[in-house]
Amino acid sequence: MIPSLWWIVTGALGGIGVVLAVAGLVGTSAPKKPLPWQGERGTMARQFAAQRRLLLAVAGVALLVVWLVTAMVMAGVIVAAVIVGGPWLLAGQAVNRTQIARREALADWAQRLSEMVRLGNALERCLIASRKHAPTALAAEVIDLSDKIQAGWPAHEALADFARGLDDVTGDKVCAALIMAARDPGPGLAQAMEDLSVSVREEVKQRRAIEADRQRIRTTVRGLTIVALVLVGLGFTVPSYTGVYAGALGQLVLALLSGGFVATLMWGRSYATRGRSARVLVPDRKSPVKVPERPDADEDGFAAAEPVWGAS
């Protein structure tokens, strides 16, 4: 009974794998959409996507090698899961620190724009000049924005593309004020930028305090994970200890235990990692308010003439 069930499950999973592989190579007619953890095509999202592709390739090779050496498919799956999930589990703090640093840089950039606007400079000129002393965390995005304006892009379109690169709800708030000022110039932009700079700095201060509290949870989860992985690794070096998992029933039990452990880690990490907030300049699946898609909008939700306004 158990061996038959094991072969049925293995065959079903193999068939699903073949279908997914064909779909990945050939493609489908459905429009391409970002995965839930990818967000918009921001700078950070592209960097992490490249890292994920490399890890998946290494994990696939490691799975096959360990499977052939140990003759236990779940051993290969565990090694592959460690390769793919290890950086994801340990990178939560680094990602949050990067987001905080970028928001702090955004506050500095908004403050400098406010000062230049108060001197009587036009918005386009201020955006171009801001590249000279752009904050390090946003230097690439600010320089790209300046280049687009110098190349003849309308300011509101360049700012919409700048917001897409930031891929952050706080960046949307700053860019929204700049886009409105670019479309309808008038007094008040300098004060708005100064107020937004103060607001973002206060948000950064609160986020740093929250991250300090979450660090304790991350340390606990990381320690338990490392201890568990070391014990599992040492166990596979003692055949008399792990031999019970070599059979079909043992593999099934090992799969259930591994799945439960991974689910526990994901649940614990969700308490220590802040989810991405819904954006406001583009339609976002995380937003509780849904807006109809515009026929002239591109794949990222930006219209050719003006940005699409969503809700947070």
Side-chain angles (χ1 to χ4, degrees), residues 96-289:
N96 290 332
R97 284 181 176 177
T98 301
Q99 291 176 342
I100 291 175
R102 287 168 65 86
R103 290 186 178 183
E104 189 172 24
L106 184 65
D108 294 338
W109 184 68
Q111 181 64 40
R112 292 173 184 174
L113 286 179
S114 173
E115 294 170 355
M116 287 188 285
V117 172
R118 286 188 187 279
L119 295 176
N121 297 309
L123 175 58
E124 290 81 358
R125 184 175 179 182
C126 295
L127 294 173
I128 294 173
S130 65
R131 67 181 297 163
K132 295 181 180 179
H133 303 287
T136 304
L138 290 181
E141 288 83 356
V142 173
I143 292 174
D144 186 59
L145 170 64
S146 174
D147 290 340
K148 285 183 172 62
I149 295 177
Q150 287 181 314
W153 283 43
H156 65 274
E157 291 185 8
L159 286 166
D161 194 72
F162 177 69
R164 177 167 47 194
L166 294 178
D167 189 25
D168 182 72
V169 63
T170 303
D172 282 354
K173 295 174 184 177
V174 175
C175 291
L178 292 172
I179 290 172
M180 288 189 291
R183 286 189 168 277
D184 186 17
L189 176 59
Q191 187 61 46
M193 287 293 100
E194 184 175 351
D195 293 343
L196 283 170
S197 177
V198 173
S199 174
V200 174
R201 284 196 175 93
E202 182 62 27
E203 179 183 347
V204 168
K205 180 180 178 181
Q206 295 175 358
R207 285 290 301 276
R208 291 189 189 280
I210 293 173
E211 287 302 311
D213 292 336
R214 288 175 172 171
Q215 180 58 29
R216 293 177 296 179
I217 301 177
R218 293 194 188 98
T219 302
T220 301
V221 173
R222 187 181 299 114
L224 292 175
T225 303
I226 293 174
V227 170
L229 292 177
V230 169
L231 291 177
V232 170
L234 293 176
F236 279 110
T237 62
V238 184
S240 61
Y241 179 74
T242 57
V244 66
Y245 296 108
L249 180 59
Q251 290 282 284
L252 183 60
V253 171
L254 186 58
L256 294 176
L257 292 176
S258 301
F261 183 71
V262 171
T264 303
L265 289 180
M266 295 178 65
W267 174 72
R269 189 180 187 275
S270 66
Y271 279 89
T273 305
R274 182 177 182 270
R276 186 179 67 88
S277 300
R279 293 188 55 191
V280 297
L281 281 182
V282 296
D284 196 319
R285 290 189 299 273
K286 288 181 174 292
S287 174
V289 179

Side-chain angles (χ1 to χ4, degrees), residues 56-87:
L56 287 173
V58 174
V61 174
L63 188 153
L64 293 176
V65 171
V66 175
W67 185 4
L68 293 175
V69 171
T70 63
M72 297 176 62
V73 63
M74 281 309 303
V77 172
I78 292 175
V79 172
V82 170
I83 294 175
V84 175

